[in-house]
Amino acid sequence: MFKHVVCNWQRASRLSRQCARRAVPRREITKRALRVSVEELESQAVPVHKQVREIVHPSEHTRIRNTRLLAQQALSAPAAAGRPQKHETLERLEELYSKCVVDAKGALGREDYAAFLEGFSQLQDTAGCLRVLRDMRLGGEPPVATQYAMVLKMSSDSLNTRALFAVNEEMQAARVAHDASFFNSLLRCLGRTGQIEFGYAVYQEMLARNVPPAATSYAPLIAGLAQYDEVPVALQVMREALGRGVAFGQETYLALLHAAGTRMHHEAYRFCYTQLTAVFESQIPEGDFLQGLGIAARTGDTALAADIVKQLQRLEYPLEEIHFEPLLDALIHRAQWQSAFNALGMMRRSGYGTTPATLRTLTRKLTVASAEAERLADSVYETLCASCSGLPEIADAVTLNAMLQGLAQSGCVEAAMARLTTWYDRLEIQRTVDSYAAVLVACVPRRNKTVAEVLLSQMLDKDRLQPNKRVYEAMIHVSLLQPNYEDAFVYLEAMKTQGIVPDWRTFASIARRCAKVHDGRASKVLDEMRKLKMAVTPALLSYVQSFGCSPDDPTLSTIAENPFTV
């Protein structure tokens, strides 16, 4: 363009010298020169594909001119200046294509179509690309496979699934065979848009046609499968890809690792964890480590738990109780008692694991059938005694209480009562209220009031311990299960004397027991609950009234003012 302007001004200079002798005004000379320039430019036929490239890839001179025009528009109309330049280019390209299609009437060549197709593709205009493909097919210039692949890639990158299926219809109409690019583009798009069922179906179709998926197609599919609770299928696809020699990056392994940890899938988590730590030496987030510790505790994978703790130490994460507890639970789950007590000693030295909640897994592990409960409990106790020499901090009342509670919950309350003396005296550990409560609570489902009264007497007379709320409630409940339940009111009064308020469950149990035998004290218990601002549920009130015990019952008017006396 600049070359034409220079030539026109040179022609204007010649005309000026020629017309100087004819006395022609200079303004007329300039008009004539410009008119000649415009006529020559219009007469010159610029090829269509060059016009397209000038629109899509403007020259430096054109870009400078467009920038100046945009600056002038911004000064004159600031509201209209924010329109993206991409839309302007797209409108010009569509206008040129429409004009060429109307004027050329089928005279566009393959190079022109290719230029338009490339232009619409770079501008991310799916509709324009489909229009060009259709016009090429109808105009006798059928697109080649690479042109279809270009549109497919553009549609896949923009996550336009509908455009992919439209291109598929065009390929079928043009009788172009589906190649690997079509399947990979469709697979990537379906995987990234969350259409996992269709994506996995396409994957199966590719395997049936012996079309190997690309590595970039595997990753979205695996991530999508893992995200939508299909962790086993995602692991299967990953192993099949690795068998075909496909290499994955850390992002794919981390995505599957996180999904496996969330869904507690042991096999997938361990596979990805091994790859990330042994191959990539990745810095896994602490949250994923905690999920792995939870999986190790549930499945008893002590090797995984120990390795995760080592990785946490290597990465200098501050180790706390939430890191040690899964390791301890995994060791207990595998019945590796010596290693479990070593882990407990390590926790105690760090200031953790001193609460009963830490050893709940130990209690559950010792809660087995009555036939082998005593043998297992004695075996674990002997291991504990053997470990006390090197780890004195593990032998305390909290550990023995957890073991004793497991034995008592197995139904061996008499054996637990006997070991309440022998175990603690051998290790010279002082019994606590929780030690007695561990056995007393187990007496309730066994309805063993005899053992409960012996334990209460030993606690009061021998160890001189003051019962707590848990002990009182256990005595109330075991008394309510007897034919003569009057002792329940005795323990209730003692409980109130100590300033301990029973919970809702205790009051409800007393009310139901009284109502079942038509004891009028049931309504008084409900009144006491209302005074303590406890909810008297419709179910509880209906149960009491169903046995004829109601606050409106005239037979209750003779009851003494104290609602807890006979």
Side-chain angles (χ1 to χ4, degrees), residues 85-102:
Q85 187 176 1
K86 177 182 175 180
H87 292 178
E88 299 282 351
T89 306
L90 182 58
E91 287 183 358
R92 292 174 56 196
L93 187 61
E94 290 176 347
E95 181 181 358
L96 177 61
Y97 183 73
S98 300
K99 180 180 179 182
C100 291
V101 169
V102 174

Side-chain angles (χ1 to χ4, degrees), residues 185-200:
S185 300
L186 185 59
L187 189 59
R188 282 195 300 271
C189 184
L190 292 174
R192 294 170 61 185
T193 54
Q195 303 181 55
I196 302 304
E197 293 183 2
F198 293 109
Y200 189 69

Side-chain angles (χ1 to χ4, degrees), residues 68-79 81:
R68 290 175 179 174
L69 291 175
L70 290 175
Q72 293 177 2
Q73 292 176 2
L75 293 175
S76 59

Side-chain angles (χ1 to χ4, degrees), residues 148-441:
Y148 283 114
M150 178 176 60
V151 181
L152 286 170
K153 184 178 182 305
M154 182 267 296
S155 303
S156 177
D157 293 341
S158 60
L159 303 180
N160 194 338
T161 311
R162 185 175 298 179
L164 288 173
F165 287 108
V167 176
N168 177 38
E169 294 178 359
E170 281 294 325
M171 294 178 69
Q172 291 179 351
R175 298 182 180 181
V176 177
H178 295 102
D179 56 357
S181 62
F182 168 75
F183 286 109
N184 285 309
S185 300
L186 185 59
L187 189 59
R188 282 195 300 271
C189 184
L190 292 174
R192 294 170 61 185
T193 54
Q195 303 181 55
I196 302 304
E197 293 183 2
F198 293 109
Y200 189 69
V202 172
Y203 172 74
Q204 295 291 340
E205 181 68 19
M206 294 176 71
L207 296 182
R209 297 192 180 192
N210 199 19
V211 178
T216 55
S217 304
Y218 274 112
L221 177 62
I222 293 173
L225 288 170
Q227 183 180 0
Y228 287 91
D229 295 336
E230 296 291 345
V231 177
V233 182
L235 179 61
Q236 177 187 353
V237 173
M238 175 174 282
R239 285 177 170 172
E240 291 176 355
L242 292 174
R244 294 186 179 92
V246 178
F248 293 103
Q250 301 183 46
E251 296 79 8
T252 306
Y253 286 110
L254 283 172
L256 185 54
L257 177 79
H258 180 73
T262 305
R263 276 73 180 182
M264 302 298 288
H265 194 280
H266 176 243
E267 184 181 3
Y269 184 91
R270 188 169 181 79
F271 178 80
C272 295
Y273 175 81
T274 304
Q275 294 291 327
L276 289 170
T277 55
V279 179
F280 294 99
E281 297 183 357
S282 303
Q283 185 171 354
I284 301 175
E286 186 179 7
D288 292 330
F289 276 131
L290 292 176
Q291 291 177 344
L293 287 172
I295 294 174
R298 174 173 293 188
T299 59
D301 192 345
T302 56
L304 176 62
D307 192 70
I308 290 177
V309 172
K310 291 180 182 179
Q311 292 293 330
L312 289 169
Q313 293 176 341
R314 182 181 67 85
L315 298 174
E316 297 182 354
Y317 284 111
L319 295 180
E320 300 179 1
E321 189 170 3
I322 56 176
H323 302 113
F324 288 112
E325 270 192 13
L327 175 60
L328 177 64
D329 294 344
L331 293 170
I332 293 174
H333 185 80
R334 289 290 184 184
Q336 299 179 8
W337 303 115
Q338 184 63 52
S339 301
F341 288 132
N342 291 337
L344 180 62
M346 183 170 56
M347 293 178 65
R348 296 280 176 84
R349 289 174 180 175
S350 301
Y352 305 118
T354 58
T355 60
T358 306
L359 297 173
R360 286 178 297 186
T361 306
L362 177 61
T363 301
R364 289 194 294 267
K365 187 66 177 179
L366 294 178
T367 305
V368 294
S370 301
E372 58 181 30
E374 295 185 42
R375 181 187 58 81
L376 178 61
D378 290 337
S379 175
V380 176
Y381 178 76
E382 293 299 330
T383 306
L384 175 65
C385 294
S387 303
C388 289
S389 58
L391 300 170
E393 58 273 358
I394 65 173
D396 59 355
V398 175
T399 306
L400 292 180
N401 292 347
M403 297 170 57
L404 198 66
Q405 184 178 355
L407 178 62
Q409 288 180 356
S410 300
C412 306
V413 290
E414 293 86 356
M417 182 178 64
R419 286 161 178 77
L420 184 60
T421 302
T422 57
W423 281 3
Y424 290 80
D425 292 345
R426 178 180 174 182
L427 294 176
E428 298 181 355
I429 296 176
Q430 182 64 37
R431 286 175 288 271
T432 63
V433 178
D434 292 332
S435 304
Y436 287 97
V439 186
L440 282 171
V441 172

